[in-house]
Amino acid sequence: MNADVARESNAGEQTRQKILDAAEALIIEHGFAETSLRAIAEKADVNLAATHYHFGSKQGLLAAVFHRRLEPVKEARLAALTRLEQNNEHLKVADILRAFFVPFYDADDSDLMDILPGLISRIYAEPPAISRPMLQEEFSEVISRFVAALGKACPGIPPNEMNWRFHFMIGSMLQLARFQIPIGQTSEAGSLKEGLDRLVAFTAAGIEQGDSR
Amino acid sequence: MNADVARESNAGEQTRQKILDAAEALIIEHGFAETSLRAIAEKADVNLAATHYHFGSKQGLLAAVFHRRLEPVKEARLAALTRLEQNNEHLKVADILRAFFVPFYDADDSDLMDILPGLISRIYAEPPAISRPMLQEEFSEVISRFVAALGKACPGIPPNEMNWRFHFMIGSMLQLARFQIPIGQTSEAGSLKEGLDRLVAFTAAGIEQGDSR
DNA sequence: GTCTATATTGGGATAGAC
DNA sequence: GTCTATCCCAATATAGAC
């Protein structure tokens, strides 16, 4: 993984990556509107003009930052679900949810594990005019496949209702992403892994609710 | 309600309110960082300098905007829970959750109903350095009282675990606040009221999960 | 308490040399 | 493809008259 970065030996591509890395870190920490191109260029140790050369505008940089991370998550989620469907006749809700969460919280690359939740929760924090199209673009396929799988696992729940439950599930997921531990709780040894288990249990209960199996 | 606004007849207080109203609307629509004092002054039809006179700085205005709305919500939530506890021996989880949600989604004043969800989801969207202290300040008492009530309603669940479930519940609530309908869903006649019922059902299932009653 | 006018900063974007 | 220098604008904030 990440061989694409190492392989690029020309200076231009390296600069591009440095800018993306710096922008990503600053956006996670401060949000998009609060992050200036100047701050990004300084942290990346490149010239300010390079940001415009590579990405055209601040908006273009935003899109690139997000797309670089979201694309692999999308693929991993779809692949995990496909694997699940091939190996089992009847899927359990908790397994489907895990296939959805794991590429997000628990990437193979442990650096990514620190990055993804913070980054995605930022997208959702953007004004709907910005976040809606981006989420639609990056996630509509994933959402429809997972909602369908959940519907199949819970035959009693109509599709429209399952859409809503999926919606609430996303909210819980984001809450874990934003604040790793509950507000007002003193720091706890338990890792993100423990939060993930709790998230699966909580959302599975909400999704299965009222279904007769 | 809102007699405090009408009573203030001196011009200063009227200006203050106009600024707060305008700022609130713009923050809900665009977010805090994206809203300029100029835009606020223009919408409020007051002079730019008046914003500084009344609130000192942009940050000060932010705090005032939020506090004006959060204080009544806090009081309403605590009062609703107290009323519930006085009239029943054993509370149902769904009723406790309703006492928490209703002052938020379903205020008496129907204008407020449009304002509160959008505003509160904005607070959570702010960088943690800003949102954490504000949420702690405004909500810690409410959280501890509601978590305690939920714990009493579900004797099988340890307090630490209930903290987590409460945390996830907040996430679902915010998701409904941010996007009134699920992403990718075509507009639906159902009002916010319908979403509220679904929210109660979803979160109650997650909170009661594993409890033996 | 409200206004006009202005100081000052910071940020996005671009031109043009190398 | 990268740099320096600069343009231009928008924004926060303040000074001082009324």
Side-chain angles (χ1 to χ4, degrees):
Chain A
M1 185 180 292
N2 275 358
D4 51 338
V5 176
R7 180 164 22 80
E8 308 287 350
S9 54
N10 45 334
E13 195 53 29
Q14 280 182 26
T15 299
R16 215 185 122 89
Q17 296 299 330
K18 285 201 295 181
I19 293 172
L20 284 175
D21 290 340
E24 179 175 84
L26 289 172
I27 288 172
I28 289 173
E29 191 176 353
H30 300 118
F32 184 66
E34 294 83 353
T35 300
S36 68
L37 288 177
R38 295 181 133 79
I40 293 169
E42 187 180 359
K43 186 181 178 76
D45 198 30
V46 304
N47 190 277
L48 171 60
T51 62
H52 283 94
Y53 175 80
H54 285 285
F55 302 99
S57 68
K58 198 185 176 185
Q59 276 294 331
L61 176 54
L62 170 73
V65 165
F66 286 148
H67 186 76
R68 175 172 71 148
R69 299 302 184 189
L70 293 188
E71 189 63 26
V73 170
K74 170 181 161 183
E75 300 304 333
R77 280 174 166 166
L78 291 175
L81 180 56
T82 298
R83 215 176 308 124
L84 218 53
E85 289 172 331
Q86 286 171 341
N87 296 341
N88 307 75
E89 182 63 19
H90 294 298
L91 301 187
K92 283 190 293 187
V93 167
D95 290 335
I96 298 172
L97 290 176
R98 242 171 230 288
F100 188 79
F101 295 142
V102 164
F104 180 46
Y105 286 110
D106 192 21
D108 296 339
D109 185 336
S110 83
D111 286 346
L112 265 189
M113 196 175 122
D114 295 333
I115 289 172
L116 278 175
L119 191 62
I120 299 208
S121 69
R122 281 290 169 211
I123 304 178
Y124 278 88
E126 289 297 310
I130 294 177
S131 61
R132 276 248 182 200
M134 192 175 299
L135 292 168
Q136 201 98 28
E137 163 82 13
E138 303 274 357
F139 281 141
S140 63
E141 185 186 353
V142 174
I143 291 178
S144 64
R145 283 230 16 224
F146 273 81
V147 169
L150 288 170
K152 208 174 155 199
C154 306
I157 316 293
N160 177 49
E161 171 69 22
M162 188 56 83
N163 257 332
W164 275 96
R165 298 185 183 183
F166 196 83
H167 191 54
F168 294 134
M169 177 275 283
I170 298 275
S172 299
M173 183 189 79
L174 293 174
Q175 192 73 350
L176 178 60
R178 251 191 304 270
F179 312 95
Q180 280 87 342
I181 61 165
I183 296 202
Q185 180 147 316
T186 55
S187 154
E188 178 181 325
S191 61
L192 227 158
K193 203 111 190 163
E194 190 185 350
L196 181 55
D197 290 339
R198 292 188 152 112
L199 174 64
V200 170
F202 183 90
T203 54
I207 285 185
E208 290 172 327
Q209 150 235 153
D211 188 46
S212 52
R213 49 163 65 204
Chain B
M1 187 179 290
N2 275 0
D4 50 340
V5 176
R7 180 164 22 83
E8 309 287 349
S9 54
N10 44 333
E13 195 54 28
Q14 279 182 26
T15 299
R16 216 185 121 89
Q17 295 298 330
K18 284 201 295 182
I19 293 173
L20 284 174
D21 290 340
E24 180 176 83
L26 289 171
I27 288 172
I28 289 173
E29 192 177 351
H30 300 117
F32 184 66
E34 293 84 353
T35 300
S36 68
L37 290 176
R38 295 181 129 75
I40 293 169
E42 188 179 357
K43 187 181 178 74
D45 198 31
V46 304
N47 190 277
L48 171 61
T51 62
H52 283 93
Y53 175 79
H54 285 286
F55 301 100
S57 70
K58 200 184 175 187
Q59 276 295 331
L61 176 54
L62 171 73
V65 165
F66 286 150
H67 187 75
R68 175 172 72 146
R69 299 301 184 190
L70 293 189
E71 190 62 25
V73 170
K74 170 182 160 181
E75 299 304 331
R77 280 173 165 167
L78 291 176
L81 180 56
T82 299
R83 214 176 309 124
L84 217 53
E85 289 173 331
Q86 284 171 342
N87 296 342
N88 307 75
E89 182 64 19
H90 294 298
L91 301 185
K92 285 191 291 186
V93 166
D95 291 334
I96 298 172
L97 290 175
R98 243 171 230 288
F100 189 78
F101 294 143
V102 163
F104 180 47
Y105 286 109
D106 192 22
D108 297 339
D109 185 336
S110 85
D111 286 346
L112 265 188
M113 195 173 124
D114 295 333
I115 290 172
L116 277 175
L119 191 61
I120 299 209
S121 69
R122 282 292 170 209
I123 304 178
Y124 278 88
E126 289 297 311
I130 294 177
S131 60
R132 275 249 182 200
M134 193 175 299
L135 293 168
Q136 200 98 28
E137 163 82 13
E138 303 274 357
F139 282 141
S140 63
E141 184 186 353
V142 174
I143 292 178
S144 64
R145 283 230 16 223
F146 273 81
V147 169
L150 288 170
K152 207 175 155 197
C154 306
I157 315 295
N160 177 49
E161 171 69 21
M162 187 56 83
N163 257 332
W164 276 95
R165 298 185 183 184
F166 196 83
H167 191 54
F168 294 134
M169 178 274 284
I170 298 275
S172 298
M173 182 189 81
L174 293 174
Q175 192 73 350
L176 178 60
R178 253 190 302 269
F179 312 94
Q180 281 87 342
I181 62 167
I183 296 204
Q185 178 148 316
T186 55
S187 154
E188 177 179 325
S191 59
L192 227 159
K193 203 111 189 161
E194 190 185 350
L196 180 56
D197 289 340
R198 292 189 151 111
L199 174 63
V200 170
F202 183 89
T203 53
I207 284 185
E208 290 171 326
Q209 151 235 153
D211 188 45
S212 51
R213 50 165 64 204

